[in-house]
């Protein structure tokens, strides 16, 4: 079913219309990527208001609602509200700023709701992926696996982290990734104790761990994978940490299935890491949902109240980070099923020593 129709079916009966202004949700409902545009969905009809810069593209791309050239957004929205006799308008309260809300609330002839009901309906739709979405995610991950195999021969002493980022970025661009920001991690040595460390001119040395966090974007959908490899040699403790993270991930993957609380999956990995003597060294959530944004809800962490749903796409990425020394993270992206999960990630997880 068309996502706009699915949203209308899922919207609380107290919401007459939906106002969508965020880039991710504009894309989700219309299939069009742009830096502007307003989607207004009533129970009877949907409209996409867009300025002159994107109007030609919108008319070619957007097929599930009427495309309107925007010249006076508030006035045009007001006319649509009156035409459809809209009394209440739901907003994306996770994305909309306070100033934008105040502008819409004061400028539209309807009550603008900020209670989260529309956001919850959108989140529920986006959490469960359609077969088409899963195909995009799988293709993105397949290309990410290929990129990982591509970069391995480049990892050697004397090569800088920035060199690795540049090689990966060029490879991903040439092979069709839609992520122009080249937003990925390639860090080495002591910096691997920083979960979101940034690449710089540091040269790789023998004995370093090198951590990659990367992912293609295909059809608007992200892959997300982390692998940690070693260069030249490893210490006994490096081996132990790597083996602990790998086993924690294996146990967590076995715990994934529809109906299981997200916090429970996190607990399986965290308890194993704590019991191995690394309590306090795994300071982030076990994972998160992935889709048209690389970090979506629900999150898999100790504070999560969510339950996994069949068709959800989540990461399983335990890590151990020893401050000032080194860290290890291993991340796979999986589709939740009724009786387990389908792992979309196929890159080698054994300890690779280059």
């Amino acid at each position: 079913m068309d996502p706009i129709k699915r949203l209308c079916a899922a919207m609380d009966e107290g919401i007459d219309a939906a106002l969508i202004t965020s880039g991710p949700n504009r894309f989700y409902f219309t299939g069009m990527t742009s830096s502007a545009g307003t989607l207004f969905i009533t129970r009877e009809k949907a409209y996409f208001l867009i300025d002159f810069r994107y109007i030609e593209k919108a008319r070619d791309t957007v097929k599930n609602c009427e495309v309107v050239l925007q010249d006076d957004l508030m006035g045009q929205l007001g006319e649509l509200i009156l035409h459809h006799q809209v009394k209440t308008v739901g907003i994306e309260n996770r994305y909309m700023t306070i100033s934008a809300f105040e502008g819409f609330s004061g400028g539209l002839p309807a009550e603008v709701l900020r209670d989260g009901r529309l956001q919850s309906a959108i989140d529920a739709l986006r959490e469960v992926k359609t077969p088409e979405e899963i195909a995009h995610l799988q293709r993105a991950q397949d290309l990410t696996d290929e990129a990982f195999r591509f970069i391995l021969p480049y990892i050697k002493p004397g090569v800088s982290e920035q060199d690795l980022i540049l090689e990966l970025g060029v490879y991903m661009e040439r092979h069709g990734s839609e992520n122009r920001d080249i937003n990925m991690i390639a860090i080495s040595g002591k910096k691997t104790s920083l979960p979101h460390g940034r690449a710089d001119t540091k040269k790789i040395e023998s004995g370093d761990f090198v951590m990659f966090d990367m992912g293609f974007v295909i059809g608007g959908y992200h892959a997300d994978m982390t692998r940690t490899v070693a260069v030249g040699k490893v210490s006994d403790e490096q081996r132990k940490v790597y083996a602990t993270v790998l086993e924690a991930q294996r146990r967590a993957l076995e715990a994934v299935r529809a109906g299981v609380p997200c916090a429970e999956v996190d607990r399986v990995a965290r308890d194993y890491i704590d019991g191995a003597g690394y309590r306090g060294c795994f300071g982030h959530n076990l994972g998160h949902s992935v889709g048209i944004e690389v970090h979506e809800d629900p999150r898999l962490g100790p504070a999560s109240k969510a339950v996994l749903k069949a068709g959800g796409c989540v990461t399983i990425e335990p890590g151990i980070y020893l401050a000032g020394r080194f860290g290890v993270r291993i991340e796979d992206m999986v589709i939740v099923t009724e009786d387990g999960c389908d792992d979309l990630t196929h890159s080698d997880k054994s300890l690779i020593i280059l």
Side-chain angles (χ1 to χ4, degrees), residues 68-82:
V68 178
L69 177 62
Q70 175 187 323
D71 54 23
D72 173 16
L73 180 61
M74 287 298 185
Q76 289 169 300
L77 288 174
E79 289 178 5
L80 293 174
I81 285 171
L82 295 175

Side-chain angles (χ1 to χ4, degrees), residues 33-145:
T33 301
S34 62
S35 63
T38 301
L39 183 60
F40 189 69
I41 303 171
T42 73
R43 300 283 180 176
E44 298 83 26
K45 189 174 180 180
Y47 304 85
F48 187 51
L49 293 82
I50 189 75
D51 65 57
F52 179 80
R53 295 171 298 165
Y54 296 107
I55 189 67
E56 183 178 359
K57 179 182 177 183
R59 286 170 176 160
D60 290 339
T61 304
V62 180
K63 304 301 181 184
N64 57 352
C65 52
E66 181 177 332
V67 175
V68 178
L69 177 62
Q70 175 187 323
D71 54 23
D72 173 16
L73 180 61
M74 287 298 185
Q76 289 169 300
L77 288 174
E79 289 178 5
L80 293 174
I81 285 171
L82 295 175
H83 176 73
H84 289 280
Q85 299 182 340
V86 168
K87 302 300 182 186
T88 56
V89 178
I91 63 166
E92 314 152 282
N93 64 345
R94 178 177 300 118
Y95 296 93
M96 187 173 287
T97 64
I98 294 174
S99 61
F101 169 77
E102 290 175 345
F104 287 119
S105 183
L108 297 179
E111 181 184 3
V112 181
L113 308 171
R114 60 176 180 179
D115 54 17
R117 281 181 287 169
L118 180 69
Q119 187 68 61
S120 295
I122 293 172
D123 288 347
L125 293 181
R126 285 180 51 181
E127 179 183 354
V128 178
K129 271 52 178 182
T130 65
E132 182 181 12
E133 290 178 293
I134 292 172
H136 286 312
L137 290 162
Q138 182 66 77
R139 179 60 178 156
Q141 183 54 53
D142 288 345
L143 288 167
T144 303
D145 288 332

Side-chain angles (χ1 to χ4, degrees), residues 198-339:
R198 305 253 330 171
D200 59 24
T201 58
K202 180 194 174 302
K203 305 285 187 181
I204 293 171
E205 302 174 24
S206 180
D208 278 354
F209 271 142
V210 181
M211 182 185 294
F212 292 95
D213 193 333
M214 55 195 283
F216 268 70
V217 181
I218 298 294
Y221 287 79
H222 290 257
D224 194 11
M225 179 186 83
T226 304
R227 289 294 185 267
T228 306
V229 302
V231 178
K233 60 185 178 181
V234 291
S235 67
D236 289 343
E237 186 169 25
Q238 284 176 305
R239 286 185 184 276
K240 179 185 176 184
V241 168
Y242 193 95
T244 301
V245 173
L246 184 59
E247 177 62 15
Q249 193 207 38
R250 185 192 69 78
R251 293 182 180 214
L253 287 168
E254 286 192 348
V256 172
R257 67 180 182 279
V260 174
C262 293
E264 172 62 19
V265 183
D266 178 277
R267 186 192 63 77
V268 169
R270 199 170 302 277
D271 283 357
Y272 183 78
I273 288 172
D274 290 350
Y278 297 103
R279 182 179 295 275
C281 299
F282 174 28
H284 57 72
N285 289 341
L286 176 68
H288 54 85
S289 297
V290 187
I292 55 179
E293 294 176 279
V294 73
H295 295 99
E296 298 185 350
D297 287 327
R299 313 297 170 112
L300 284 75
S304 176
K305 304 300 183 185
V307 173
L308 292 174
K309 295 179 183 177
C313 180
V314 299
T315 65
I316 303 297
E317 48 181 304
I320 293 175
Y321 309 92
L322 305 181
R325 299 177 62 199
F326 64 85
V328 172
R329 181 166 69 253
I330 303 171
E331 176 185 19
D332 284 14
M333 187 170 71
V334 307
I335 300 296
V336 180
T337 66
E338 292 291 348
D339 57 0

Side-chain angles (χ1 to χ4, degrees), residues 147-161 163-168 170-171 174 204 210 212 231 354:
F148 179 65
R149 290 192 291 271
F150 162 81
I151 201 64
L152 288 177
Y154 289 85
I155 305 169
K156 59 188 68 176
V159 174
S160 75
E161 297 166 348
D163 290 336
L164 297 177
I165 287 285
L166 289 171
E167 291 289 346
L168 272 173
V170 170
Y171 178 92
R174 284 178 174 168
I204 293 171
V210 181
F212 292 95
V231 178
L354 301 168

